[in-house]
Amino acid sequence: MSDVKRVLIVGGGIAGMALAIALQRAGIAAEIAEIDKDWRVYGAGITITGPTLRALDRLGLLEQVADEGYCYNATRICDPAGNVILASRVSGQPFGPRIPNSGGILRPVLHGILSAATRASGAMVRLGISVAGIEQTPDTIAVGFTDGTAATCDLVVGADGVHSCMREMLFPDAPRPIFTGQGCWRAVAPRPAAVDRAYVYIGGPVKAGITPVSRDEMYLFLLQHVPDNPRMPEEQWPNLLAEQLSAFGGLLADVRDGLNPASKINYRPLEKLLLPPPWHRGRAVLIGDAAHATTPHLASGAGLAVEDALVLSELLSADISLDQALHQFTARRYERCRMVVENSVRLGKMEMQRAPSHDHAELSRISAMALSEPI
């Protein structure tokens, strides 16, 4: 086993919480430093692919996610008129009878599940602080926090998102996140009983879709081409989203017509980032969006974050040195994460260029099959 007995995790999002849970179960003490004193999460719904559900199952959280979210086995990919182009991205149930092919859940609900499991694991969570600086020796890493306190540990993990402060400290010359030309709208709406799977509409002026996220709710997502990355005033979100949905009928029209100032709507510009290997420097390593931020086109950002946590925990528990574990971590994760980032961005470009729907569906299918492979 590596010499790691205490790990500091910077960031209490999906990647950080998943790693804390996995490390505690492996007998390695984990502490999270989260800058938000209220440990909040922003956003509406999230699509959960089969590989993500498989990773959550390894954390012991599949049943709770399925119970509090909504799982299904088929995703209908349609043209703008609603004609089905592809009945499902994945054939059969490649992950076994226990694990559905897809699902959806509200982001605050998923955060609640993970944060409760983090606390229950015994991991320490410190809120309202982050890392101000680090000093490394061959045997330890000393950390200074933003509240003036300090600590010493064996490993620091940067899980602090696409605009990672840890990445700035470790790799000051690293590439910065790049805007992709699209913005993503999400809105939560009541779920009709007939919506028992996801529907994705491609090939039109915008890509849009609907995903069930609970017994009573679903969320709509829409990807808009915004080359100049304009500011979208929050008070105008219902009207701006309704305008983008103007060409759709059916379920999407129903959601559009129900939008109002009280609607749960979220908008954010899409950015990408892929840090070249290695993802560590000495006794500090990056995981999740801090190392590989992707767009939502393959619905795999959360899944990659949980997989990072599982693989890193496994390697830190192996009978190898810390340096070997960190090199192997990047080696095992890089190509899979690169595929997701690059294919997601490629799908976005196809949408902006109005590429044929079948080409878009085929790249989605190929990517989904690649993600079904074991981590």
Side-chain angles (χ1 to χ4, degrees):
M1 184 173 178
S2 71
D3 59 352
V4 173
K5 294 180 175 60
R6 183 184 177 196
V7 175
L8 173 70
I9 303 165
V10 184
I14 293 174
M17 289 187 287
L19 181 60
I21 296 165
L23 288 175
Q24 288 287 138
R25 292 182 179 177
I28 299 173
E31 177 181 342
I32 291 177
E34 164 57 41
I35 195 168
D36 183 0
K37 65 181 178 59
D38 298 314
W39 206 6
R40 295 163 295 185
V41 64
Y42 298 96
I46 180 173
T47 300
I48 312 173
T49 64
T52 304
L53 291 168
R54 175 179 60 189
L56 289 167
D57 186 42
R58 286 182 56 181
L59 279 183
L61 300 177
L62 174 62
E63 291 184 5
Q64 191 173 358
V65 168
D67 183 60
E68 298 189 38
Y70 190 99
C71 291
Y72 48 89
N73 288 317
T75 297
R76 299 286 186 255
I77 299 181
C78 310
D79 65 19
N83 300 309
V84 176
I85 300 169
L86 186 66
S88 183
R89 291 188 179 101
V90 180
S91 299
Q93 282 188 256
F95 310 106
R98 288 186 59 259
I99 301 177
N101 288 343
S102 294
I105 195 167
L106 294 173
R107 282 186 179 269
V109 173
L110 179 60
H111 179 82
I113 292 170
L114 284 165
S115 59
T118 300
R119 297 280 198 191
S121 75
M124 182 181 296
V125 180
R126 297 181 63 187
L127 301 178
I129 68 165
S130 189
V131 171
I134 57 174
E135 289 187 15
Q136 302 203 43
T137 73
D139 300 319
T140 61
I141 179 166
V143 180
F145 294 104
T146 52
D147 66 353
T149 61
T152 300
C153 55
D154 301 311
L155 176 68
V156 173
V157 179
D160 51 342
V162 60
H163 298 288
S164 168
C165 293
M166 285 300 303
R167 187 177 63 244
E168 293 281 344
M169 290 183 195
L170 297 175
F171 304 101
D173 298 324
R176 301 295 190 267
I178 298 173
F179 174 61
T180 67
Q182 286 184 303
C184 183
W185 294 94
R186 293 182 174 93
V188 179
R191 181 182 72 85
V195 180
D196 60 355
R197 64 198 64 194
Y199 291 83
V200 180
Y201 299 83
I202 61 177
V206 295
K207 176 183 177 181
I210 288 173
T211 298
V213 291
S214 72
R215 292 178 179 84
D216 304 314
E217 294 175 300
M218 62 185 185
Y219 90 95
L220 171 144
F221 63 88
L222 183 145
L223 296 165
Q224 180 183 355
H225 186 195
V226 284
D228 297 326
N229 195 16
R231 177 179 174 270
M232 302 289 188
E234 189 169 345
E235 67 276 8
Q236 297 181 28
W237 283 359
N239 291 334
L240 291 171
L241 178 54
E243 289 175 8
Q244 293 301 312
L245 290 166
S246 60
F248 293 96
L251 290 170
L252 296 180
D254 292 341
V255 176
R256 177 193 66 219
D257 295 343
L259 294 174
N260 60 71
S263 297
K264 299 176 184 176
I265 301 173
N266 175 263
Y267 172 83
R268 68 177 178 93
L270 298 184
E271 297 176 301
K272 67 166 185 176
L273 177 134
L274 182 63
L275 185 68
W279 290 344
H280 74 283
R281 179 158 290 175
R283 289 178 170 268
V285 64
L286 303 178
I287 68 172
D289 284 357
H292 49 77
T294 185
T295 64
H297 294 77
L298 292 173
S300 295
L304 293 183
V306 179
E307 289 178 358
D308 280 358
L310 293 168
V311 172
L312 182 57
S313 175
E314 173 192 323
L315 290 169
L316 293 177
S317 304
D319 189 19
I320 54 178
S321 69
L322 174 60
D323 188 61
Q324 289 174 314
L326 296 180
H327 274 100
Q328 288 186 31
F329 171 69
T330 307
R332 281 181 56 177
R333 298 300 297 152
Y334 182 79
E335 282 303 318
R336 185 177 180 89
C337 296
R338 180 198 60 77
M339 184 277 292
V340 169
V341 173
E342 292 183 356
N343 284 10
S344 295
V345 171
R346 184 179 168 195
L347 286 167
K349 288 181 178 178
M350 293 171 76
E351 292 160 11
M352 290 184 282
Q353 296 168 358
R354 304 286 296 276
S357 300
H358 286 280
D359 292 348
H360 188 288
E362 179 63 9
L363 181 57
S364 294
R365 185 192 67 81
I366 291 171
S367 301
M369 292 304 297
L371 282 166
S372 69
E373 295 296 321
I375 54 174

